[in-house]
Every structure is written in C-alpha cells, then in structure tokens.
Amino acid sequence: QQQHDDLSTKKLRLTKPSKSAALHVDLCKATSPADALQYLLQFARKPVEVESVEGVVRILLEHYYKENDASVRLKIASLLGLLSKTAGFSPDCIMDDAINTLQNEKSHQVLAQLLDTLLVIGTKLPDNPSVRMRLVEVACKHLTDSSHGVRNKCLQLIGCLGPVEKGVTKEAESQAAKDVQKIIGDHFNDQDPRVRTAAIKAMLQLHERGLKLQQAIYSQACKLLADDYEQVRSAAVQLIWVLSQLYPESIVPIPSSNEEIRLVDDAFGKICHMVSDGSWVVRVQAAKLLGSMQQVSSHFLEQTLDKKLMSDLRRKRTAHERAKELYSSGEFSSGRKWGDDAPKEEIDTGAVNLIESGACGAFVHGLEDEMYEVRIAAVEALCMLAQSSPSFAEKCLDFLVDMFNDEIEEVRLQSIHTMRKISHNITLREDQLDTVLAVLEDSSRDIREALHELLCCTNVSTKEGIHLALVELLKNLTKYPTDRESIWKCLKFLGSRHPTLVLPLVPELLSTHPFFDTPEPDMDDPAYIAVLVLIFNAAKSCPTMPALFSDHTFRHYAYLRDSLSHLVPPLRLPGRKLVSAPVSPNITQHEDPSQQFLHQSLERVYNLQHLDPQGIQELLEFTIRDLQRLGELQSELAGMADFTATYLQCQLLLIKALQEKLWNVAAPLYLKQNALASAAAKQILEETYKMEFMYSGVESRQVVIIHHMRLQAKALQLIVTARTTRGVEPLFGMCEKFLQEVDSFQRCFISELPHMQGSFVDKLLDLMPRLVTSKPSEVVKILQTTLRQSTFLHLPLPEQLHRATANIIEPTGESDNPLRFTSGLVVALDVDATLEHVQDPQGTVKVQVLYPDGQAQLIHPKPADFRNPGPGRHRLITQVYLSHTAWTEPCQIEVRLLLAYNSNRSKASARNPKSTWSESLEALPPSENGIEGTIPFSKPVKVYIMPKPARR
Amino acid sequence: FTACSSCPGAGQDVGRSCILVSIAGKNVMLDCGMHMGYNDDRRFPDFSYITQNGRLTDFLDCVIISHFHLDHCGALPYFSEMVGYDGPIYMTHPTKAICPILLEDYRKITVDKKGETNFFTSQMIKDCMKKVVAVHLHQTVQVDEELEIKAYYAGHVLGAAMFQIKVGCESVVYTGDYNMTPDRHLGAAWIDKCRPDLLISESTYATTIRDSKRCRERDFLKKVHETVERGGKVLIPVFALGRAQELCILLETFWERMNLKAPIYFSTGLTEKANHYYKLFITWTNQKIRKTFVQRNMFEFKHIKAFDRAFADNPGPMVVFATPGMLHAGQSLQIFRKWAGNEKNMVIMPGYCVQGTVGHKILSGQRKLEMEGRQILEVKMQVEYMSFSAHADAKGIMQLIRQAEPRNVLLVHGEAKKMEFLKQKIEQEFHVNCYMPANGETTTIFTNPCIPVDISLGLLKREAAIGPVPDAKKPKLMHGTLLMKDNSFRLVSPEQALKELGLAEHQLRFTCRVHIQDPRKEHETVLRVYNHLKGVLKDYSVQHLPDGSITVESILIQATAHSEDQGTKVLLVSWTYQDEELGSYLTSLLKKGLPQSTA
C-alpha cells in the first residue's frame, strides 16, 4: 500500500509544476521522524525548479520549527543549503529565517549544518556587504560554542565572508568591524586541533580573497609549527609561507640571541625544519613550498645542501667532496681503497650542532626521505630554486645526479627532467657525467629518452666528457637499437654545442690515419651515422674541421645530407662543389634560402593566374612536387611546405574537376564519367579537414581560406549531384543546405570578407538574393559559372606551422610470430607511439584497429597514457585490447592512430574567442554543421594475430 | 613514583642487550641478548642479578624482544627454559618467525661444531617460542590491568620494533636498534609524539654523521657492474639475514633496470627459509616494495638463484653472495680462495670485520695470506669495502628524540666515550636529563606522575558554571571532597562524601561583633542597618525579620545595645562556613560604619 501511495504522489508531482505542495503533503503524512527523514531523502534526489525554491524553503522551515528530532532538522538544514545553491535563485529572502533558526537550536550538529547553509547563502550573495556583515556577526556569536563542529563552521564562514576591505565596514556596524584577523587569530590556540586547523585555513582563505594579513600573525603561526597534530602543522606551514611572501624583507629577531634576520629567511629555515617532520603529509607540503621561496638569501639556500659528516668525532668528507677533490687533483676514477674515506681532523665537540635550527641539510633529508612523494616534491623544489639561482644550481648538481639512481622510476624521471630544466646554469663535471651516462642503460625507454633530451642541452667541460658521452650513447645504441633516432638527435645537439671539444677527437672518431688509408666504414651502420652526425654538426661552426675528413667522409656527408637532412646541417666544404649550399650566398643574411624558395614558388603560382589551363595544371604539379621535396629536406619548413602543398593540391583537383569535358556533354552520357569530379570533391573535403585540424599554428586567416576551399568543394559536389540525379526533390534539400552554409560562412568570417575580392564566395554573396529565390537547377547553373570564374585565393602563411605527426614505435610490425589467444577472450597489445605537434592529444588521438574482415574498432586511450616529454611532443603508451572469433589461420590486423576532429570546435574559435564570428557560432545549434570525423595521421602497422578456437 | 632501569647486559657496551625496567611497580625485561665475543658464561647476561633468590616469573611482568638479531634475542631459550621463566614474551610477528631459525643455527654451531654441552636444545627453543605472544605494529597490548605495551616501526631489520611501555600515565620507550634513514627494503623508524618519561635509545653511532646512502649504493653498483662487464666475478660475503636482503634487492633491481644477464647466486642455507618470511611480511618493508608487490613481490628474485658449489668454477662473470660475512670460514672462504688469484675478480666486504679474520686482513691491505697447511695465497683480486649499516647515526638519534619528546633519555648499546658526547649534546639541545648507565648500574628517574581522579558529572557541571568561561589550556580550581577508597580516587560533593562515609554534618559558624556608634534605639539602629544594606546589596535578598534581626541570604545580623555604653550598639553577624565570602564582606562593610545622613 505504501508503494501505491508513493506512486500516486509521484504522479501528482509530475502534473503539478510546484513541488512545494507535494512535499508539504508528504511531510504532513509522516508519522515518525524516520518517515519524515525518508521523505526528505527522496525529495533531495530530484532537482527543484528555480521558481518553486522559495516555496519549498518555506515549507521546510515550517517543519523545521515543528520538528523535535535532531536528525530531521539536520537534513532540513542541509536541504536549505542545497536549495539555496540552485542556479538563478537569490537566497536573500530566506536569510532572515535561516538566521532565526539558529537562535533556539540546541543540537550542535544541526547548528553546524545551519552555519554551513548560511555559508552557502553568503557565498551566493557576493556583492552584498551588509548581509555578509550580519552573517559574520552571527558566526562570531557562535564562536564560543562548546562543540568543535560549530566553531569550525563559524571560522570557515568568517574566512569566506569576512570583510576584506577595511573601508566598507566602517559604517553603521561598528562592533562588527572588529578585526576579523584578530578573531580568527584567537582561535589559533583553541583546544581542539580541528578548530585550530579551521582557524588557519580561514586565515588562508582571507588571504586568498585579497586581505593583507598582518605580520603579527607570524609569531603565532611559528608556534603552531610545533603542534601535536599533523593537519595543524600542515596548515601552519602554508600560513608561514604566505606570510613570508607578504613580508619578505621585514626583520624578525632570532630567539635566544640578539641577532635579527629577514623574515623570508627565518620562514625558510622554519619550513626547512619541517622537511624532517614526523608526518609525511607535512613533509611533502614543506618540501613543495620551499621551491617557491625564491627571495631567500643565497647563504640560507646553500645551507640546505649542507651536511657535515663525522665519524668518531672526526670530520669526514662526503662522497661528493671526495669526488670533487679527486677530479680537481686530476686522478679521476682511481677506484676506492679501504680507508679512503677515513676521517680526517678532530672536531671540536662543542661546535657540532646535531639538530640544526636553520635550513641546514633540508634537501639532503628531503631527497633521502622514505616516501617517494616527499622525494619528488624535494626534487621539484630543487628545480625551481636552481632555476633562479645559478650558483645553487651548480651546488645541487651532485644531489640531482644521485637521484638518478632512485628506486622509483618516477623520481628518476623527475630528476632527469629537473636537470634538463636547469641545464643552462650548469656544466657537468666528468665524474658527474659518468654517473649520468650510466643511466643510459636503463631498460625504461622513458628514462633513456629523458636522458637523451638532457644530453641535448648539457654543457660538457672536456673533450674526454664528449668522448665518454659518445661511447656510452653508442653502447646504448647497440643495446637498444630502437633508440636510434633519439640518439642521433642527441648527438646532433651535442656536436653543435661543443665544436671545439669535438675537433681534437675527429681523427680518432673517424679512425683516420696520417699515412694509411683506412677501410671505408659501412654507411648503414647506425653507430657510424651517429658519429658522423656528431662531427658534421660540430663542423658547422668549426671551419677547420673538414680538413680532417677523408674522401669517403665527404661522400657520406652528401648522402646523409640528403637522407637525414634534419640531422645533418648544410656545410660549406672547401675545394668541393657546394653540395647544397645556397644558390646566391649573399641573401642568406636575411632569410633562409629554402624559405625564400618556398615563397618564390608560391608567388609564381599566385601570379600566373591567366595561364592556359594546361599550363596552370603543370605549374601546380611542379610546385607541389617541389614543396613536398622541400619539406623532406628542411625539417623546420616541413609543416609550412606540406600545408601549402596540400592547399595547392586542392586547387589542382578543383581545376582538374572543372576542366573535365563532361560538363559540356548532355547529362545522361556522363553518368559513369562523373567519378573523377565527385572523387575530387570528396578528396578536397578531406584535405581541408586535414589542413584545418592537423596543423598547429593555423591562424584565422588560414581558416577562412580553408573554409572557403571547403565551400567550393561542396559547391562542386552539389553540381555533380545535380547533374547525375534525376528529379528535383532531393536537390531542394541540398541547395537549401548549401545556401545555409554560405550564410554561416558569411556570418563567421564577416571580418575577413574584404580580403577575398573576386573569390568564389565574394561572387556568390553578390548573387545571393537571386540564389535564394531561384530554382535548384538555376542555382546549380549559377554555381557552376561562378566556380569557373572565381579566382584563386592567395594563402597567407603563418609564422610557425607544424604538422601533427605520429609514429608507432611499438608494435613494430616486423614480427612473424602471431599473437595467439583464445577466441572470445581478449589479448592486450602494447602500443607505443610518439606524437608531435598535437594539441590536446588526450581529447583527439584515438587508436584504430582494422580486422581483416573489415571490422574496425576505435579505442580512446586514457588521458594518463599520454606523457609529455618535451614541448610539442607527446608519447602515447597504452594497451589495446583485441578480440575476435576464431580464425583458421593467423592473419594481419592494422593498427593506426587517428586524429579526431569536430568542425564545430574549430581551432580558430578556441584561439581568438573574442572575434565576432565565434560568438555568433555559439548561438548556432551545434548540430547544424558540426561534422565529426577522424584523420589517420600515422602509418598503419600490421600485427600478426591468431585467435584460436577455445578448447573444450 | 619512579621509573628505574638497570642494565644487566647492554650498558656502555655493544652486544648482549638486556635491560630491566621497573616502572610504577611493574618489572619489564627488554631484550635478552648474547655476546658474540665470548664462549663462556659471559656470553649470556647475568640473570641472577635480577632476583637474588626467587623465581623470575614472580618478579618479571613481561619480556620484550625488539628484533631477531642474536645480540638481542640469543639468550632467550637459556633464560626461559634453563633459568626458568614462564611469563609472557612479546615480539613482533616477523621476529617470532625468524628468531627460531637463527637460534637453531646458533645452537647448531655451538653444540654440533664446537661440541659444547650444557647448552639449550632444539626442544627448548620450541618450548620457548610457545611462550611468545606476537604483536602488531601500533597495537596496544594489555599485559595486565595496568601494564600496556605498544610497538612502533624501527627499520633496522625486518620486524624490528620500538616498544612503548606504559603503566598509568608513566611510560618508557625502548628503541631497540633502529634506523632513521630508509634503505632498499625497509622504511625509516617512526614514533609519534608520545612524550614518554624515559626514552631508552641505542647509541651505536653516537659520534657519527653518515653520508647519504645513495653515494654508497651507486659506488657499490658501479663497481659490481664494471667488474661484471669486464667478465670478472664478484664475491660478496654476507651474514644470512638483514643486510644481505638489502643488497639482494639492490642488485636485483639494478639488474632489472640495466637489463643485465650475468647470473647472481646466493649461497643457500638459512636464507631460503628467511627469504620466505621476507616475502610474507610485505607490510613491514618499505614503500616501494609494499606498493609493487601486487605486480611482483620484490623478494621473488628473478635474477638471483641458489648457489651450488660447482658454480664457482663456471667461466664468465657472476656475482655470488656467500656466508659468513667475515671470510673466516665456510663457503665464502672457499670461493674466495678459488677466485683470489685473478685480478679481474673482486670481493666486496659489506660490513665490519673482526680482527684476525681473513676479511680484516685483506681489508687492511695484506696481499699474501697464510692459509692452513702453510699454503700462501696471493690475493690479486680487487678488495673493496662498502659499509651498509642500519643503525641510526647521531643525527638520527636526535631526530627520534625530537619526534618523541621524552622527559629523560637513557643511552645504551654503545661505547662509553661516544655516548658521553651524545649525552652532552642531548642535554644541551633538548634540555632534558640524559643518563648512560654501565652494566649492572641502576638509574633512578623521578617522574612527576599525574593522578587521574574521577569526578561526578553533576559536580563538574556545577563547578564549571562558576567563574569565567573555562579555558582548556589553563588549570581550573574546583571545590569538592577527595575520597580515597579501594585504591581509587574520586572527587565528590561534600554532601555525598558525608553520606558515603556515614558521617554527620557539622556546621561551622562564624560570629563577629561589630561596634557601631549610634545613640538611637536598638530597633532604629536595626532599621538603619537594614536600609543601608538594602541600598548596598541590591542583588541579595535582605530581610527584616519581625524578631528584630536582619538576614542577608542566610547571614544573620542582630543588634543589641552595649551593656556599658548605650551609645554603642553591638551588631552580631553570624554566617556559616559556606557563606564565608559574603559574611566577611558584610562585616567589613559594617565596620566602615553607617552613612550619616540616613535619618
């Protein structure tokens, strides 16, 4: 029967717009508090419309006063809070009632909940100071409550709503203008740790809202650092940090002495002390905050790495110091004897300070902590501090290098990245380099690549260092041949950074001999290529080096310059034909010759508007070919060249399609011949999407041109369809749709239209009034002529343009061993790929698996599967689950990466959201022209799999 | 109340840990170790010291063992079975699991190899273990009604624990051996701010501050790696448990990381059994092992295999862990003799070597060794020393003291001279008393115990309502009657106390005479006084009774004429003890006299 009742009330709710009545009925029906609670719980599950909120609130309040049971009152109080959060509802009308309910409430829990509700109400009314004042007053009154929960909420409320500007509060409410900071500060010594925490958090909240905290709090906060409870200490560390940022230069006295130091130094010392706290949460917090205290004086900063060793009361040198000494005395890597670390001089027992008050050894402790969270935080802090202080960077090097051997990979990776970030400040000593290079043998690809990245921007001090690095890199190459590209790149930078250090090594590296000819090395040996990459890059800024080359080296240079042009720079070689030197050397000053070439060829294309059709086609074909070749040769121009080539390709296709003779033939005859035109239209559409979404750096100027091209393709499509289909009905819809698109194009790109004189769209818009009224067949005719007459739009090039590329490293596709698994079950395939210049890969990159039966599967990798090893580069390491019914034979499936796009979420709209057209775009219903699709952007990789039938 | 502790074993000396603590009438023995250096009676602590005559069980409330090293638990079977102790013995689960293996091994060496008699037997070890109660970390174990103990993580070796012993509000923390820096398989010691009255800390490295572990680890790995790459063999003599596992993990992960293929062997023996326990007690290891054991238990070594005698002659590189650690006998020595002649090989000594052992000789640079049978062995292989110790250094000890905030510190398990330094530092920096008793010396520490008293809620509320709002940080004065009955303290209201004790209530009244110069009649004087008081004491009920007296609350005032001088009136003020405050105020008020203009 209960069930029945329930159903009927539900019906009532559906028919009546006001929920209040239904609730009222429900609550009146409730016989016991438990019943009432049930009704309220049910009620809370459904949203309430804005209009009926106030009514509902009134009813709830009415019941609140009647209710004796605390739990029901609690629920009502929480509902009040929920309801006042409703968007569009202004809760000032219920504030008085809410405050009134506080007066007679006895239950602490309900009180706390009510205060919470008031907090919600207060935050909903941000620009009403008098309401806020009142609420703060109420909160102050309840601060003396004996329950921690109530005090907690009061402090929270004061923190969130307390007056921030002094001026506003001056008026009538004089007693409320009491200093909020003082009120909160008084509760720093509360008996309950939760209230203490809340007080500190409220203070931090005030700070976040823009109130300048008083410096007097500092000493109070310092006392809280010794609190028994970790959450208090953790909050106190934050507070101290805030104060140290507010008053870095004020002077505070050092207790137990007459000296005084800067506040930021004092705070730094105190936070350093917390790095060896008993609770790891506090340690993480402290270590993190240290990184952002850059105003600290270098004296204190350098103390953090200081640790005095001793053994039997005698001073001992650390391994770091010993290594440094060994290095400076010239006997590097002598191997250690027993007693090498024997303690030296005696220590004055009085002078040893075992527990340092200051910053001493904070990072030494942090980096040795047992929790890796603390270690990572410490490494991060180290990184930030070292970035701002070169001398500190030099000092922390030893410690960072040590971290390369941490047991947790994340920490190792983090420290390698850190080292890379500070690499401009440091030069590696040979012994440090040695340790760094030892990590090259790590089995984790991430680590190795990070290390290559690091070596790319490292300064090495000696030629032995370079040699060592080369030897280790080659060792790495033999052990992990897949690292080839990354190692070559690394050597490229290593060479170009240290030409003078490479110079003396050249004869040895090329194994040339003054008298004898040595055998010519194998040109396909990756190791030999690696050596050559190093040498050629060094030779670029070292003109004397080519003199040391032997004949075959020059030949190899020519070959490599051609095949690995992104790794081998152009060299001016004496006495030889300039292999790929610029045609006229005097223009190189201003612009790269290849860039010049690009622009020149484009100019040519744009200028020759009125060539005969045949000529235009040929010119376009040649230019496209040139551009593609240029892209292969000049990696930095690849994006630009490809982009323009694609554009020209589209134009070429369009021209070709229009040149077809079929347009003159009567309709029935070219039914089968239209294949070319419609295919061209389709391809142009595809290419335009590629142009829009695959390149990073596309600006709105380019987007217009791309859209314009797309519009032309659509027009072409329309014409072809009109020609081939019988009957007018389907054409109506198509025409309408096309006109709509023209319309939206006009709206979107209104600002760009003046630049498009004589273009297809320009002409089309002139004819618009005619088009709208005419019949489809007429529209098609007009379109056809406009399309033919329209001029070719000039594509302006942006500063930087990069094509999104993806390369699947794993699976390699070379395996002959099929991956066997039982049909119906799944097998996990590891996919490892590098992505370049992909924006927001988490949202756009998908993995596609194509089965031999044509079945395709689209997999969305988890956001966590993407790593970001460097700017513009991403790495996808994920697992793809495959499954299929049983096959009789192993067969290959294809795995490729796709770039998903949505033409609605155009990149241009994200870039300049203020432009007029994006606003109008938002007004459009999203489904109108939102085409979602995918662009394959990696070479497919074949994987051999074999689903076996399940054994019975 | 005192908490005293005396050390039969582990005073200013390393080895033979055994400490006796009496705390608030309870006697607890901490650790029961043996001395490795002696082979006679001196190897065990002198238990007769504890009770001259009488049974140990009657005297000791419990025995606590901190970890499984023999210098902390070696004398346990002797103590419980041969001397005779039947009370509870507490240790952690891993200690309970591994301890008997080591004891059995120790027994075998002493009895079977050296042929000693009058030593404990296997059965005794088993019987002894039956008396052991295992505890978990942070579990509070109630030994009896008053005595409770609690274990904290101590690092050092698997299952090592620090113990807090608490009776009433007095407490002692015994650290055992601990390590404040984490290593490859164990975490760092941790204790909360328990503020014990006494912290008994080991002080092995009282005067040492060590370098970071990473450098040592890196050096170790680099050396092993280089030797293996050269095709050499590496011998690492170790003791079976503790550091050996750390080195294994270190090498195992390194092999994994660097994709190395050279075999690593571990000479079997105790290790296999012990390794099994390492696999089981994952919760006692460090963060990395705990987090990754779901994928792979780090102690399931992939690269480390059991060693066979025949492998030593295999060609190619290899790494071998072999016992014992000082190269004085057994397998490690055999392998050493085989490999010593090749300069490609290397021996790494991971710990301290006692004088006289082969280990010590080669470490001090001797290249020609005389073996038994007058053979001369020329050592061409490289000799490396790598210290991996798991004791807290001076800094670590200070850090622990900072964490626990004890009121007194007592140093044990260290050398006197070194302890002196640390003691001075502790006193200087923490301003707490520090002690360092010698063997057999007793230290008495006076504590300031707080005594909990029960108070009835009614009384508490009544008293709390009086006076200003209570401030939790400040002591508050309360009135009540302290009842000491059946060993418990209660604070009750006087009425209840009387009732409970069956005593009649006596009333205490104060009477005071105040002379007032007033020539008027008595009743007029009374009226004047009445009006005056009424005017002054507005908050109190002042009544004029028909019999001519005045009452202010319960205070009675009567006026009579002075027998000699009629102009002087005598005011008789009388109040009970409870109204003392008001009464004395009234008298002082009346003594000031009446205002003149009241006529």
Side-chain angles (χ1 to χ4, degrees), chain A residues 498-516:
Chain A
H498 308 98
T500 48
L501 296 181
V502 176
L503 184 62
L505 289 172
V506 169
E508 192 192 340
L509 294 180
L510 292 176
S511 50
T512 48
H513 196 277
F515 310 123
F516 303 118

Side-chain angles (χ1 to χ4, degrees), chain A residues 276-278 280 283 365 368-371 375 407, chain B residues 137-138 152-157 160-162 177-192 210 213 283-288 290 390-392 396 399-400 403:
Chain A
S276 48
D277 191 84
W280 70 272
R283 293 202 298 267
H365 283 293
E368 270 182 57
D369 200 274
E370 67 169 318
M371 309 300 284
R375 296 201 297 269
E407 54 186 342
Chain B
L137 275 186
H138 302 181
Y152 290 97
Y153 191 74
H156 189 60
V157 287
M162 307 190 274
D177 289 354
Y178 63 100
N179 189 7
M180 291 302 280
T181 45
D183 63 30
R184 287 286 169 153
H185 73 308
L186 297 172
W190 180 84
I191 194 161
D192 54 17
R210 274 176 304 169
K213 235 178 163 88
T283 46
W284 288 80
T285 54
N286 72 3
Q287 190 193 19
K288 155 108 180 169
R290 264 182 293 145
H391 288 274
Q399 210 179 331
L400 187 87
Q403 271 184 20

Side-chain angles (χ1 to χ4, degrees), chain B residues 47 76 131 135 150 254 369 520 528 545 548 552:
Chain B
F47 294 114
L76 199 58
K131 294 175 186 168
V135 297
K150 184 175 175 186
F254 187 72
L369 299 175
R520 269 164 284 203
R528 273 189 69 198
L545 298 182
V552 181

Side-chain angles (χ1 to χ4, degrees), chain A residues 189-191 196 226-228 233 273 276-279 306-314 317-320 322 333 335-338 349-356 364-365 367-373 375 398 401-409 412 434-435 438-439 441-444 475 479-480, chain B residues 153 181-191 193 195 206-219 221-223 225-226 229 254 256-260 286-288 290-291 298 360 363-364 383-386 393-395 398-399 402-403 405 417-418 421-422 424-425 428-430 472-473:
Chain A
N189 297 320
D190 196 280
Q191 56 167 319
R196 291 201 291 274
D227 201 277
D228 280 10
R233 291 200 301 269
H273 199 54
S276 48
D277 191 84
S279 148
D306 193 30
K307 191 180 179 186
K308 298 263 182 307
L309 299 192
M310 64 175 188
S311 168
D312 277 357
L313 285 179
R314 278 178 296 170
R317 288 165 312 146
T318 61
H320 292 152
R322 285 201 303 276
S333 92
R336 181 129 59 91
K337 296 164 212 88
W338 190 45
T349 49
V352 183
N353 195 9
L354 286 179
I355 290 273
E356 307 80 4
V364 180
H365 283 293
L367 294 175
E368 270 182 57
D369 200 274
E370 67 169 318
M371 309 300 284
Y372 83 93
E373 291 90 342
R375 296 201 297 269
D398 274 323
V401 170
D402 276 350
M403 294 310 282
F404 284 17
N405 281 321
D406 196 89
E407 54 186 342
I408 307 254
E409 187 178 320
R412 296 203 292 270
D434 196 42
T435 322
V439 186
E441 283 190 52
D442 203 297
S443 58
S444 152
K475 223 193 240 175
K479 204 161 178 181
Y480 307 99
Chain B
Y153 191 74
T181 45
D183 63 30
R184 287 286 169 153
H185 73 308
L186 297 172
W190 180 84
I191 194 161
K193 229 175 240 195
R195 300 197 173 91
T207 54
T208 302
I209 301 174
R210 274 176 304 169
D211 200 355
S212 103
K213 235 178 163 88
R214 287 175 202 285
C215 299
R216 266 175 289 156
E217 281 177 3
R218 200 185 56 212
D219 276 357
L221 293 172
K222 203 173 145 194
K223 269 170 202 153
H225 190 187
E226 276 170 4
E229 278 207 331
F254 187 72
E256 188 104 5
R257 252 182 78 193
M258 298 304 186
N259 244 334
L260 298 179
N286 72 3
Q287 190 193 19
K288 155 108 180 169
R290 264 182 293 145
K291 291 221 160 140
M298 291 272 276
H360 188 265
L363 274 182
S364 46
V383 179
E384 293 288 348
Y385 173 74
M386 196 70 31
D393 62 0
K395 247 184 188 187
M398 299 300 266
Q399 210 179 331
R402 199 183 86 163
Q403 271 184 20
E405 295 189 1
K417 215 184 99 202
K418 297 181 179 177
F421 163 78
L422 191 65
Q424 180 201 336
K425 284 286 151 199
Q428 193 181 336
E429 287 181 28
F430 294 107
K473 286 275 166 84

Side-chain angles (χ1 to χ4, degrees), chain A residues 79-98:
Chain A
L79 272 181
L80 289 180
L82 269 178
L83 287 172
S84 31
K85 266 186 204 157
T86 316
F89 171 70
S90 170
D92 45 358
C93 49
I94 62 165
M95 197 185 70
D96 287 329
D97 298 292

